[in-house]
């Protein structure tokens, strides 16, 4: 079975704040020891992905200087350039970028960016604020999906209120063609809300990034019914295990092959490649 990992991070020691760097060292010492090599050599990451059974990976920058750090989109574009299996997204921040709609246009047209990541609780905005609307309109026009971090985080400085999935309801209604992905599916206390929203709105999806696979059916007992709206992501390298082990744990769940294929590949394929 082919796999798309919809959520990996590009990290460079110089770009991320000590809070993330130290956590990375504790949770994934193997990666940490080779972090400089990984950040300089996309080949190394590609070989790793292949060994884990991953065909394509979304690679995320991170513009959150007040919390986790500032990994510029330009670095991710450069890293993924010419690497078919690495799919660059952009990270824009309404408190840093004065005109994110103009920026995404050039990143898509010139940089080959395939999606947008927003991080309300690290970047401090409510997803339904009017100042974000020109960015959503541009993403919708460019047919670019938007991933929102929706859920708790262990990093100090996080302001959880911005992650309440209810604010995405407005966005889903006002931009009916914009594909909205709730990364982490409300981790902590919004599992039911995220599941409900993704059932309610044709354009809203949830991803299982950072959730223990063995617990998924207790969080979402009706996963099977929502098979077209769930995506797999690993959150590599900030994970305590290999991506392949994560994939195996998902495959071990009592779900139909049709559902597993949709979650591990087909839904992401539709969003990324049409
Ligand atoms: Zn992440």
């Amino acid at each position: 079975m082919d796999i798309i990992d919809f959520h990996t991070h590009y990290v460079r020691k110089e770009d991320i704040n000590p809070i993330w760097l130290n956590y990375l060292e504790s949770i994934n010492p193997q990666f940490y020891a080779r972090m400089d090599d990984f950040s300089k050599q996309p080949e190394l990451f590609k070989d790793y992905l292949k060994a884990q059974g991953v065909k394509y990976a979304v690679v995320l920058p991170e513009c959150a200087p007040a919390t986790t750090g500032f990994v510029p989109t330009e670095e991710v574009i450069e890293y993924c350039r010419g690497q078919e299996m690495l799919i660059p997204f952009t990270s824009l921040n309404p408190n840093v970028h004065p005109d994110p709609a103009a920026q995404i246009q050039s990143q898509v047209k010139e940089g080959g960016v395939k999606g947008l990541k927003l991080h309300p609780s690290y970047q401090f905005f409510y997803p339904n604020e009017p100042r974000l609307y020109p960015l959503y309109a541009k993403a919708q026009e460019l047919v670019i999906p938007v991933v929102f971090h929706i859920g708790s985080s262990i990093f100090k400085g996080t302001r959880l209120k911005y992650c309440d999935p209810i604010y995405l309801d407005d966005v889903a209604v006002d931009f009916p063609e914009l594909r909205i992905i709730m990364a982490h599916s409300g981790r902590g206390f919004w599992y039911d809300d995220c599941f409900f929203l993704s059932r309610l709105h044709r354009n809203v999806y949830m991803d299982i990034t950072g959730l223990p696979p063995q617990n998924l059916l207790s969080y979402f007992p009706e996963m099977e019914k929502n098979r077209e709206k769930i995506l797999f992501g690993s959150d590599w390298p900030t994970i305590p295990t290999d991506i392949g082990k994560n994939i195996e744990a998902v495959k071990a769940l009592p779900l139909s092959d049709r559902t597993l294929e949709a979650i591990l590949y087909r839904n992401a394929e539709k969003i990324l490649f049409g």
Side-chain angles (χ1 to χ4, degrees), residues 148-222:
F148 289 87
H149 175 110
I150 296 294
S152 65
S153 166
I154 56 146
F155 294 128
K156 246 194 151 56
T158 296
R159 297 190 187 267
L160 257 185
K161 62 182 178 187
Y162 296 116
C163 269
D164 189 328
I166 193 61
Y167 301 111
L168 292 178
D169 181 63
D170 277 340
V171 184
V173 171
D174 292 335
F175 297 91
E177 300 307 320
L178 181 67
R179 279 137 335 142
I180 296 165
I181 295 118
M182 301 175 291
H184 314 293
S185 293
R187 182 170 60 202
F189 38 76
W190 291 307
Y191 293 126
D192 290 346
D193 305 45
C194 287
F195 195 86
F196 187 91
L197 279 174
S198 68
R199 295 277 285 164
L200 180 68
H201 294 294
R202 191 176 53 81
N203 56 332
V204 175
Y205 299 76
M206 45 190 271
D207 88 17
I208 56 173
T209 300
L211 307 181
Q214 66 275 15
N215 295 346
L216 286 172
L217 279 163
S218 66
Y219 303 150
F220 313 113
E222 296 194 286

Side-chain angles (χ1 to χ4, degrees), residues 7 9 60 62 117 149 184 209 235:
H7 194 125
H9 288 271
L60 302 167
E62 180 118 341
K117 166 87 182 281
H149 175 110
H184 314 293
T209 300
D235 222 2

